[in-house]
Amino acid sequence: MANQGKKRFSLTNGNDEAGILCKVSNSAVVRHAKQAAFVTKKLLRSTGKAAWITGTTFLVLVVPLIFAMDREQQINELESQQASILGTPPLPSPK
Protein backbone atom coordinates (compact mmCIF):
# COMPACT_ATOMS: atom_id res chain seq x y z
CA MET A 1 0.00 0.00 0.00
CA ALA A 2 2.87 2.38 0.73
CA ASN A 3 4.19 1.88 -2.82
CA GLN A 4 1.07 3.25 -4.46
CA GLY A 5 2.22 6.85 -4.04
CA LYS A 6 5.59 6.30 -5.73
CA LYS A 7 5.89 6.51 -9.49
CA ARG A 8 8.25 4.15 -11.26
CA PHE A 9 9.80 4.79 -14.62
CA SER A 10 9.48 1.91 -17.03
CA LEU A 11 9.52 1.22 -20.72
CA THR A 12 5.75 0.75 -20.73
CA ASN A 13 3.11 2.08 -18.44
CA GLY A 14 1.07 -1.12 -18.35
CA ASN A 15 -1.37 -0.06 -21.06
CA ASP A 16 0.97 -1.06 -23.93
CA GLU A 17 1.82 2.61 -24.41
CA ALA A 18 5.37 3.83 -24.50
CA GLY A 19 6.59 4.91 -21.07
CA ILE A 20 8.77 7.89 -20.22
CA LEU A 21 12.08 6.01 -20.58
CA CYS A 22 11.10 4.65 -23.96
CA LYS A 23 10.17 8.11 -25.21
CA VAL A 24 13.37 9.65 -23.85
CA SER A 25 15.62 6.90 -25.23
CA ASN A 26 14.15 7.37 -28.71
CA SER A 27 14.46 11.15 -28.71
CA ALA A 28 16.69 12.99 -31.16
CA VAL A 29 18.82 14.46 -28.38
CA VAL A 30 19.69 11.05 -27.00
CA ARG A 31 20.47 9.69 -30.47
CA HIS A 32 22.77 12.66 -31.19
CA ALA A 33 24.48 12.26 -27.82
CA LYS A 34 25.09 8.55 -28.48
CA GLN A 35 26.45 9.35 -31.93
CA ALA A 36 28.71 12.08 -30.51
CA ALA A 37 30.00 9.68 -27.85
CA PHE A 38 30.75 7.06 -30.51
CA VAL A 39 32.61 9.56 -32.70
CA THR A 40 34.55 10.87 -29.70
CA LYS A 41 35.56 7.36 -28.68
CA LYS A 42 36.69 6.58 -32.21
CA LEU A 43 38.63 9.85 -32.43
CA LEU A 44 40.41 9.22 -29.11
CA ARG A 45 41.33 5.70 -30.19
CA SER A 46 42.80 6.87 -33.50
CA THR A 47 44.62 9.75 -31.77
CA GLY A 48 46.14 7.28 -29.33
CA LYS A 49 47.30 5.06 -32.19
CA ALA A 50 48.85 8.06 -33.96
CA ALA A 51 50.62 9.13 -30.76
CA TRP A 52 51.98 5.61 -30.30
CA ILE A 53 53.31 5.48 -33.87
CA THR A 54 54.87 8.94 -33.57
CA GLY A 55 56.47 8.15 -30.22
CA THR A 56 57.98 4.84 -31.25
CA THR A 57 59.23 6.28 -34.55
CA PHE A 58 60.90 9.10 -32.62
CA LEU A 59 62.57 6.63 -30.26
CA VAL A 60 63.79 4.37 -33.04
CA LEU A 61 64.99 7.00 -35.53
CA VAL A 62 65.65 10.34 -33.84
CA VAL A 63 67.15 9.43 -30.45
CA PRO A 64 70.06 7.39 -31.92
CA LEU A 65 70.75 10.27 -34.33
CA ILE A 66 70.96 12.70 -31.41
CA PHE A 67 73.40 10.36 -29.60
CA ALA A 68 75.59 10.02 -32.71
CA MET A 69 75.71 13.79 -33.22
CA ASP A 70 76.63 14.35 -29.56
CA ARG A 71 79.38 11.72 -29.75
CA GLU A 72 80.79 13.34 -32.91
CA GLN A 73 80.80 16.74 -31.22
CA GLN A 74 82.65 15.35 -28.18
CA ILE A 75 85.27 13.72 -30.43
CA ASN A 76 85.82 17.01 -32.28
CA GLU A 77 86.25 18.89 -29.00
CA LEU A 78 88.70 16.26 -27.71
CA GLU A 79 90.77 16.46 -30.90
CA SER A 80 90.80 20.24 -30.64
CA GLN A 81 91.99 20.09 -27.02
CA GLN A 82 94.71 17.57 -27.86
CA ALA A 83 95.89 19.69 -30.76
CA SER A 84 96.14 22.78 -28.57
CA ILE A 85 98.08 20.86 -25.90
CA LEU A 86 100.53 19.47 -28.44
CA GLY A 87 101.04 22.92 -29.98
CA THR A 88 99.69 22.22 -33.41
CA PRO A 89 97.09 24.61 -34.72
CA PRO A 90 93.55 23.19 -34.53
CA LEU A 91 92.00 22.06 -37.77
CA PRO A 92 89.04 24.08 -38.94
CA SER A 93 85.82 22.20 -38.37
CA PRO A 94 83.99 21.18 -41.56
CA LYS A 95 80.69 22.85 -42.16
Side-chain angles (χ1 to χ4, degrees):
M1 286 290 224
N3 268 346
Q4 289 178 354
K6 294 183 181 179
K7 289 187 178 181
R8 292 186 169 221
F9 295 108
S10 65
L11 295 178
T12 60
N13 62 4
N15 297 334
D16 290 332
E17 295 178 9
I20 294 172
L21 287 180
C22 189
K23 288 180 183 178
V24 170
S25 65
N26 289 333
S27 71
V29 174
V30 172
R31 278 184 281 151
H32 288 295
K34 286 181 181 180
Q35 186 178 10
F38 177 75
V39 170
T40 303
K41 183 178 178 182
K42 203 170 187 182
L43 179 67
L44 287 175
R45 183 175 290 148
S46 63
T47 302
K49 287 179 183 179
W52 173 258
I53 291 170
T54 303
T56 54
T57 301
F58 180 79
L59 287 175
V60 169
L61 298 177
V62 177
V63 171
L65 177 65
I66 292 171
F67 288 150
M69 290 173 59
D70 186 47
R71 188 179 317 133
E72 183 71 27
Q73 182 182 5
Q74 288 177 355
I75 290 172
N76 288 340
E77 289 175 3
L78 181 65
E79 287 175 354
S80 174
Q81 288 175 358
Q82 287 177 347
S84 67
I85 290 173
L86 296 175
T88 59
L91 298 174
S93 61
K95 293 185 180 185

